[in-house]
């Protein structure tokens, strides 16, 4: 098949949600439709259950599952779908942000009773930065939900994106009757004994004014639906696919994932309107997927769970051309030519060695510790893909060696965990002490546990009071030098030797920004 056909048939996306909204459930149902799995319950929730923050087995279990479900590929009709999994726990949000750099679109799941929640907002901000097209699935209609119009308004207001319902629910909770699919002009009837099966009963209804409708959902609900649909047509413009592709308009669907209701309609629309692989931006130029030469970047690195095999898997998104097994590629950062004898692809739950991969696909590369997040592979051109976010840590601690005999192991462990993007390392200019910055409390526990179990090293944490880490830069070298001298006790360098200002308080930061006008303060750094 020609490269262009391979590209056109691919859809690479992620399902994102606030924990508990139904991301895992929806993913599972999508896989059921794709025939990638055959029974419900095959995709385990990758979330760390509440109250389990100290349960390291749970962390390990989560890591194990997330390797298995990192990428789930399947075919539906003529389309090759790649779903990229994102961690459920918000302490791992950074992992999610990086995964979002590798997708071409996103499906956001919202709990119809709760509406837009905190984590959804944060994730949407990342999508907005990248103009990622988003579709919204409002879930749990089998439970009493907020009014659909209120939900649509809430999505529009909170997520700051125009919406266009392509489905509309008929009541919710105990009186939930079904969903009218505006996009397909048919009615899906809800009967709760459909739990966990693949087919809901649908009735074609191009003319909803037909009295027949009353027979299906009673006159009261039929009238209400007619009224609501009139309102939809009056309030919302026609669905504009271009606006969706530009990330400016979100089509909205309603359903109940656990009942597999409304999911087929979502998937059918998704394969029709969601984008195939889009061009990627590099520091020098735009890379088009259909370019003959292969290029791709690493967006995630996963350590092996088995401490006897310290190797890792680097996940590379193919951005252009055809990736081939055993072909030499330039690892741009090191300048070395590398070839991969056993690159893997992920189809459903199976990992298998592949000979070829195309734009939109994710390839697993065996890594012995040489790769970093953001690394680029090409056929010779020195490209560097941009927009892979490094995060601004919010929690800080000194890391101390608790076993003097294991100094080397600790250094190596810390180094490799940082490459995986688990946390960030800073070295204080004042005393040379190492500081670890994370976005979640849990990460300190994960680091300590992994250092011990994977590297045989022991660490101890000591408190340090830092409000924020900011990378600083200036064209005014004199001012920069002055700043560094005055703030000596708050200066540090990151892993790449870049200057970082560790502000004690928000006041100190504001004051520094006020007094040193020529200095640029960055709250994230790109890897
Ligand atoms: P997440 O990945 O977004 O965190 O959510 P997940 O799919 O794990 O779903 C969270 C809970 O919501 C699960 O219940 C799941 O069964 C339930 N759920 C998902 N979709 C629907 C729906 O359409 N209607 C209703 N009523 N519930 C739904 P749980 O009790 O936490 O777990 P489980 O024991 O059922 O697996």
């Amino acid at each position: 098949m020609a490269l262009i056909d391979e590209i056109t048939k691919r859809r690479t996306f992620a399902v994102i949600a606030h924990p508990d909204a139904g991301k895992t459930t929806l993913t599972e149902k999508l896989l059921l439709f794709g025939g990638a799995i055959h029974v419900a319950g095959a995709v385990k929730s990758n979330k760390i259950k509440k109250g389990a923050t100290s349960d390291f087995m749970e962390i390990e279990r989560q890591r194990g599952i997330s390797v298995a479900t990192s990428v789930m590929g399947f075919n539906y009709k003529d389309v090759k779908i790649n779903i990229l999994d994102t961690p459920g726990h918000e302490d791992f949000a950074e992992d999610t942000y990086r995964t979002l750099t590798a997708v071409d679109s996103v499906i956001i799941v919202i709990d119809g009773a709760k509406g837009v929640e905190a984590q959804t907002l944060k994730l949407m901000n990342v999508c907005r930065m990248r103009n990622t097209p988003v579709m919204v699935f409002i879930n749990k209609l089998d439970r009493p939900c907020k009014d659909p119009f209120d939900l649509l308004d809430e999505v529009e207001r909170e997520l700051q994106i125009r919406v266009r319902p392509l489905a509309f629910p008929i009541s919710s909770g105990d009186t939930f009757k079904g969903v009218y699919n505006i996009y397909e002009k048919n009615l899906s009837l809800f009967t709760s004994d459909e739990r966990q099966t693949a087919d809901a009963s649908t009735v074609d209804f191009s003319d909803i004014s037909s009295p027949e409708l009353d027979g299906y959902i009673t006159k009261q609900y039929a009238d209400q639906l007619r009224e609501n649909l009139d309102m939809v047509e009056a309030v919302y413009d026609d669905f504009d696919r271009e606006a969706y592709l530009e990330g400016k308009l979100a089509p909205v669907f309603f359903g109940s994932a656990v009942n597999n209701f409304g999911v087929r309609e979502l998937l059918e629309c998704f394969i029709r309107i969601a984008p195939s692989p889009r061009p990627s931006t590099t520091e020098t130029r735009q890379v088009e997927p259909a370019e003959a030469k292969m290029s791709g970047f690493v967006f995630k690195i996963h350590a092996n769970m088995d401490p006897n095999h310290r190797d890792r898997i680097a996940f590379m998104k193919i951005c252009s051309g055809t990736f081939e097994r055993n072909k030499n590629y330039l690892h741009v950062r090191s300048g070395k030519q590398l070839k991969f004898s056993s690159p893997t692809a992920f189809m459903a739950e199976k990992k298998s060695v592949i000979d070829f991969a195309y734009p939109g696909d994710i390839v697993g590369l065996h890594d012995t510790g040489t790769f970093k997040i953001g690394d680029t592979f090409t056929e010779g051109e020195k490209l560097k893909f941009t927009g892979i976010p490094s995060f601004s840590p919010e929690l800080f601690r000194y890391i101390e060696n608790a076993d003097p005999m294991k100094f080397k192991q600790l250094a190596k462990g810390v180094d490799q965990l940082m490459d995986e993007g688990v946390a960030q390392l800073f070295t204080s200019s004042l005393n040379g002490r190492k500081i670890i910055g994370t976005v979640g409390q849990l990460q300190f526990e994960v680091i300590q546990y992994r250092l011990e179990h994977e590297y045989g090293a022991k660490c101890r944490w000591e408190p340090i009071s830092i409000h924020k880490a900011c990378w600083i830069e200036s064209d005014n070298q004199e001012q920069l030098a002055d700043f560094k001298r005055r703030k000596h006790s708050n200066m540090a360098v990151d892993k790449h030797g870049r200057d970082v200002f560790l502000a004690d308080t928000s006041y100190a930061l504001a004051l520094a920004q006020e007094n040193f006008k020529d200095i640029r303060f960055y709250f994230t750094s790109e890897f």
Side-chain angles (χ1 to χ4, degrees), residues 41-60:
V43 180
K44 301 285 180 298
S45 168
N46 70 1
K47 67 188 157 191
I48 295 171
K49 295 276 182 213
K50 290 179 202 80
T53 48
S54 307
D55 183 348
F56 296 115
M57 286 322 290
E58 191 62 25
I59 293 169
E60 285 302 88

Side-chain angles (χ1 to χ4, degrees), residues 18-25 47 139-140 142-143 256-258:
H18 188 88
D20 266 354
K23 176 174 75 76
T24 311
T25 313
K47 67 188 157 191
N139 191 26
K140 304 200 185 182
D142 58 315
R143 295 253 184 90
S256 167
V258 78

Side-chain angles (χ1 to χ4, degrees), residues 1-10 289-291 321-322 357-359:
M1 196 186 279
L3 177 61
I4 193 74
D5 297 326
E6 294 286 358
I7 295 168
T8 325
K9 67 182 249 193
R10 275 169 172 73
E291 289 177 19
T322 305
Y358 303 95

Side-chain angles (χ1 to χ4, degrees), residues 115-313:
V116 175
E117 296 174 87
Q119 197 60 15
T120 328
L121 268 176
K122 284 197 192 168
L123 293 167
M124 181 63 200
N125 286 339
V126 180
C127 296
R128 195 175 313 101
M129 257 159 45
R130 307 178 54 81
N131 300 321
T132 310
V134 303
M135 272 168 114
V136 174
F137 183 76
I138 298 186
N139 191 26
K140 304 200 185 182
L141 265 289
D142 58 315
R143 295 253 184 90
C145 287
K146 295 183 181 180
D147 174 77
F149 285 109
D150 288 348
L151 281 165
L152 290 164
D153 285 349
E154 187 175 328
V155 171
E156 199 155 67
R157 191 177 60 244
E158 301 281 331
L159 299 187
Q160 294 170 45
I161 186 164
R162 267 165 53 219
V163 296
R164 181 23 157 134
L166 290 185
F168 207 88
I170 304 153
S171 190
S172 68
D174 287 345
T175 54
F176 181 48
K177 299 280 176 226
V179 166
Y180 184 75
N181 307 300
I182 302 173
Y183 189 70
E184 295 179 6
K185 292 199 169 47
N186 64 28
L187 177 72
S188 302
L189 292 171
F190 181 73
T191 45
S192 54
D193 57 325
E194 272 151 2
R195 269 185 96 83
Q196 325 264 327
T197 64
D199 291 300
S201 59
T202 53
V203 185
D204 277 326
F205 248 110
S206 50
D207 177 16
I208 58 148
S209 61
S210 154
E212 240 183 282
L213 184 63
D214 306 7
Y216 284 107
I217 56 172
T218 74
K219 182 162 181 353
Q220 179 203 344
Y221 287 112
D223 284 345
Q224 196 183 63
L225 175 67
R226 290 179 188 114
E227 213 175 284
N228 286 340
L229 292 180
D230 282 347
M231 181 99 127
V232 166
E233 297 311 320
V235 172
Y236 299 98
D237 293 336
D238 283 349
F239 173 63
D240 174 357
R241 183 170 179 230
E242 280 313 305
Y244 158 70
L245 292 176
E246 287 165 14
K248 296 191 175 125
L249 177 82
V252 181
F253 289 81
F254 292 84
S256 167
V258 78
N259 292 296
N260 207 355
F261 194 82
V263 179
R264 187 194 58 78
E265 292 75 6
L266 175 77
L267 182 59
E268 286 287 337
C269 180
F270 174 82
I271 59 168
R272 257 179 270 166
I273 68 168
S276 43
R278 308 199 298 166
S280 321
T281 324
T282 71
E283 279 177 357
T284 37
R285 65 184 186 89
Q286 253 207 356
V287 172
E288 296 293 329
E291 289 177 19
K293 292 198 170 154
M294 198 296 295
S295 68
F297 67 89
V298 173
F299 65 94
K300 178 178 178 136
I301 294 179
H302 223 299
N304 200 320
M305 291 191 47
D306 179 352
N308 298 322
H309 299 279
R310 193 81 56 66
D311 46 354
R312 312 188 286 185
I313 302 177

